[in-house]
Amino acid sequence: MKPDDPLLQILACPLDKGPLHLVVPDGPDAAEEEAVAEALYNPRLHRRYPIVDGIPQLLPASGEQVSDDEHEELLKRMAP
């Protein structure tokens, strides 16, 4: 998923219905890690939703609660 994908404008968190942010891979091997590391993130609830084969998994059960340390890391990796 690209940061300028129009789909990002309409996707919402299934729990609080607020906007989600694209989290992009970070580092020199980012292109190789893209399928694994790409996700949508809700910083308000500290929940990350995976993107599998380009398809966001937005069921509440698909979301994963992240720790405070991981939250800080994800904030740094959010696409502008």
Side-chain angles (χ1 to χ4, degrees), residues 36-59:
V36 175
E38 195 174 47
L40 293 171
Y41 186 58
N42 179 341
R44 299 169 306 283
L45 299 179
H46 292 215
R47 291 190 63 84
R48 176 180 52 210
Y49 297 92
I51 298 175
V52 179
D53 294 330
I55 301 169
Q57 308 297 306
L58 294 177
L59 293 173

Side-chain angles (χ1 to χ4, degrees), residues 7-80:
L7 183 61
L8 287 173
Q9 300 299 317
I10 61 172
L11 290 177
C13 176
L15 299 177
D16 74 356
K17 310 303 186 237
L20 294 168
H21 301 276
L22 181 64
V23 175
V24 294
D26 193 21
D29 297 325
E32 295 173 12
E33 298 174 12
E34 186 168 346
V36 175
E38 195 174 47
L40 293 171
Y41 186 58
N42 179 341
R44 299 169 306 283
L45 299 179
H46 292 215
R47 291 190 63 84
R48 176 180 52 210
Y49 297 92
I51 298 175
V52 179
D53 294 330
I55 301 169
Q57 308 297 306
L58 294 177
L59 293 173
S62 298
E64 171 183 50
Q65 194 73 31
V66 301
S67 67
D68 288 338
D69 291 337
E70 192 171 4
H71 169 74
E72 293 300 323
E73 179 63 30
L74 290 171
L75 289 177
K76 293 175 190 172
R77 291 176 46 203
M78 284 178 17

